[in-house]
Amino acid sequence: MTLAAYTPRSLPESLSGLFQLALDLRWTWHHGTDELWRALDSDIWDTTRNAWLVLNSVSGERLEELAADPDFQQRYREQIHAHQAFTEADTWYSTDCPGDLGEGVAYFCMEYGLSESLPLYSGGLGVLAGDFLKASSDLGAPVMAVGLLYQQGYFRQAISTDGEQLEFYPYNDPTMLPVSPLRDADDQWVRVIVPFPGRHVRLRAWKAQVGRCELLLLDSNDPRNEPGDRGITSELYTGDPEKRLQQEMVLGIGGWRLLEQLGKSPSLCHLNEGHCALALIERAFSWQDDHQSDFQTARTATRATNLFTTHTSVASGFDHFSRSLLRLYLTPWLEGRDLNVDQLLALGSQPSNADNQSTDLKLNMALLALNMCGRFNGVSRIHQKVTQTIFQPFFPRWPAEDIPADYVTNGIHTPSWDSPESDAIWTRACGKDRWRRPLQSTCPMTNIADEELWEMRRLERARLITYLRRRLASQHCEQNPGNNHEAACGLLLDHETLTLGFARRFTEYKRPDLLLKDQERLLKLLASRDRPIQIVLAGKAHPYDLPGKDIIRRWKAFSRRPDVEGKVVFIEDYDLGVANQLIQGVDVWLNCPRHPWEACGTSGMKVLVNGGLNLSQYDGWWAEAWNPDVGWAIRPGATFDELSGSNNHDHDISDMEQLFDLLENEVIPGFYDVDSEGIPRKWVGRMRASMDQLTAAYSANRMMREYVEQFYLPMAEMGSRRSSETARELIGEYGEISRHWSRLRFNSFNTSEDLGSQTFTVEVYLDGIDEQRIAVELVAEDSEHGPRTITAMQMKHPLGGSPHTYLYECTVPSRPEGHYTPRLRVRDERLNLPLENPAILWLR
């Protein structure tokens, strides 16, 4: 399908390229065009950072003036040429793996955090998705993203005079957002139809250009829809399960139909969380129609090229929908298909409950995604273990260690988060195009002097203080009767004071109140004259999270104490714009979630490029990155097994004490330990080590290459071998194995010992199953006698006197009796096991 250009207003011919520049969100991280937008309307640009709004707000008279201005014309032509060079340049993908991913990857996510001017996000999941797209553009990875265009998005926040969070939902006029309607060759707006009970919902399609990538967005606010349906895409993360299901239908079903309508046939589908799981069902339906097959064959053929990434740390965080709600909404969609609601429930329910017909059975969207995918992953090394634990109940009799969850540690799109000062330093150290090519694990700062690094930090901190004062003034600081006016307006914030930052979603497990658990100790730090500190806070609590709101209220009350005013400030309405300012200017980023609930925690990665240091819980990415040279860790070395399921209160108290100990004994003294030239050399050494060792390693550049190399390419290769014939063969073969499986058994299990080793033999009855399809393994769990081991047992020979019975043998290091146990499982290189077949049998 050919898409017509979107030009809502006329421009002077010599400036016509401004449309292309304004509609490419590359300006959110490439700042070459900033002066163009500032020249058009500096007030709107500095306030909104929305190039499309600037272009549509400027007067025709001003445009004519600029068209006749030779200086502006010169800058304009330079940016047009630079943009063209960017789009035509070779990339990592085009050079290293051209065409290997065929028609590319369809990436689905409920939210995208690309810019504060496109408010389609609530927090970390969306920001990660936005950074993922930007890195895909830099590296040339063929990713097309699908999401929803919300009329209101996530709520906007204000804080009342008594500290209560207030929520507002202003309307986002899509014509003023940096997106354009998708129009076909006949200039008709592309629309997608999704069947709902008794009606069809029409979805309008939009496009956001993200460098080389496209973000396709669906919006239900079509005048021909019923009023309730027009509001399906009104707000992000509604608490109403019925509306949530409607949104996930629009995203999953409508999103895949949009790709088909546009003539796109992606080679892989990548789900960022389980909200989008219905896209995989719709993809299977599409394959089924193209190949005139049944659903199970389509599922088997397509799942090899479906990837599911989860960021969830507790099973209760997954979306669940009741049978009655599913029957109401999904029956029209499933009509005429060989998949009904009960069968869909079986795909998204715990195996022991799959045949349960009770009315309280619910569809788990994460499990549905899992059962439609060929691979799945968590987002840090610790989160891999968390994910294995969460999904272990869905793999009966498989130990958590064997659950096939992979991981790719998240990364951040560094050019979106660096300050002007740090950008200049990095350009000198590593080159102008450093973030658009594969980076080594380090990018040496050896040629940058201590004095330059410290001056960078001083300038960044000073710019943050200026921003905070401006922001606090806009929060109506003068309307706080009884407070110190200067303190309320940020005038007591100091350019040379150690500045700590905490900005996250305010919810209990992130423990934003850990410092408040010992207020006397905190007051003592804030009262120091010789080693002062100041704290900047920001964050939203979900509208239904009452404990989170209470934490905001307590911080606001604390910040208004006469002995605290001006030293602790809370910035309202946390968004990408606020985050960008904070991570560029703070000296130390605080992060203290309850271990092991932090899936990754990318906020702390954003300070790396700017020379900020992390003081964080030893969890998520920080458990991989931390060493004493780069920052500070709370409970360093903590393991998942040590802390999961333990007493939260006890750990809160001990973690709080460690946090204060680090601040009192290391962080604050280190910042103020300066030499005769006023430079804290050891602190700068930590900055240098952090920037040098961690920035590239925790960038989205590295993350994206890992997805391509470790997931997309091997998955595409496996998918190329899943023809319709192969899929049918697999279904037939494993249907036969399933019919025999209940009759498999162990007949005998014997051992002999010789010089510190043991030889085990086991007789296995396979009931006619081809022994090539069965793996026999000897398993020993981790103990004081050695680590966990899984040893393949070799088939020695069939037993002539007992049909379908085989003798297996292996030799292993000696352990006490009972430590080794044999098991049977499926063996097949064509499948990802045990994900695609969890059949297993243990001797005991």
Side-chain angles (χ1 to χ4, degrees), residues 413-432:
H413 184 248
T414 311
S416 293
W417 301 102
D418 60 352
S419 70
E421 296 83 6
S422 72
D423 179 64
I425 293 284
W426 283 97
T427 299
R428 283 180 51 204
C430 307
K432 185 175 182 181

Side-chain angles (χ1 to χ4, degrees), residues 500-640:
L500 312 181
F502 182 100
R504 309 293 304 279
R505 180 162 57 94
F506 271 60
T507 192
E508 279 190 297
Y509 87 85
K510 293 183 182 289
R511 301 190 298 188
D513 58 343
L514 202 59
L515 284 172
L516 287 179
K517 292 184 181 297
D518 191 337
Q519 294 193 15
E520 292 307 311
R521 210 166 168 183
L522 178 57
L523 287 168
K524 189 174 296 185
L525 295 180
L526 292 167
S528 173
R529 184 191 64 181
D530 298 326
R531 293 177 172 179
I533 67 168
Q534 52 198 10
I535 303 174
V536 185
L537 302 159
K540 298 176 179 178
H542 189 278
Y544 300 106
D545 185 354
L546 298 182
K549 289 184 172 183
D550 182 63
I551 296 173
I552 292 176
R553 186 185 308 111
R554 288 191 285 118
W555 264 117
K556 288 293 290 186
F558 180 79
S559 71
R560 288 173 176 160
R561 290 180 51 141
D563 49 352
V564 173
E565 277 189 312
K567 301 171 185 175
V568 176
V569 297
F570 189 98
I571 303 302
E572 299 175 10
D573 201 26
Y574 183 48
D575 65 3
L576 284 175
V578 174
N580 209 295
Q581 295 292 329
L582 297 189
I583 58 95
Q584 291 181 19
V586 299
D587 297 296
V588 176
W589 191 258
L590 297 177
N591 186 26
C592 40
R594 189 172 286 134
H595 185 110
W597 287 21
E598 183 73 291
C600 186
T602 56
S603 66
M605 298 177 186
K606 298 177 177 73
V607 305
L608 299 173
V609 68
N610 299 306
L613 298 177
N614 280 273
L615 196 177
S616 180
Q617 196 76 28
Y618 188 83
D619 199 2
W621 79 280
W622 194 234
E624 302 170 31
W626 175 79
N627 68 67
D629 296 332
V630 299
W632 302 271
I634 301 170
R635 201 183 293 274
T639 65
F640 170 75

Side-chain angles (χ1 to χ4, degrees), residues 465 468-470 472-473 477 484-495 566 569:
I465 299 306
L468 293 175
R469 289 172 177 170
R470 185 171 65 249
L472 289 167
C477 60
N484 181 314
H485 175 81
E486 289 186 342
C489 293
L491 299 181
L492 300 186
L493 294 171
D494 183 68
H495 295 77
V569 297

Side-chain angles (χ1 to χ4, degrees), residues 92 101 105 107 128 132 135-136 139 141 143 268 270-273 307-311 375-380 406-411 699-716:
W92 167 77
L101 293 179
V105 180
Y107 183 83
L128 182 279
F132 179 94
S136 299
L139 296 171
V143 173
L268 295 97
H270 185 172
L271 303 188
N272 199 33
E273 268 304 349
L307 173 62
F308 168 40
T309 296
T310 177
H311 301 249
R375 300 273 302 271
F376 72 109
N377 70 282
V379 290
S380 70
D406 298 295
Y407 79 93
V408 174
T409 302
N410 285 339
S699 68
N701 178 299
R702 182 271 313 156
M703 173 187 71
M704 189 63 216
R705 286 184 287 114
E706 285 190 17
Y707 273 115
V708 172
E709 295 169 346
Q710 299 177 21
F711 289 81
Y712 296 165
L713 292 174
M715 289 177 72

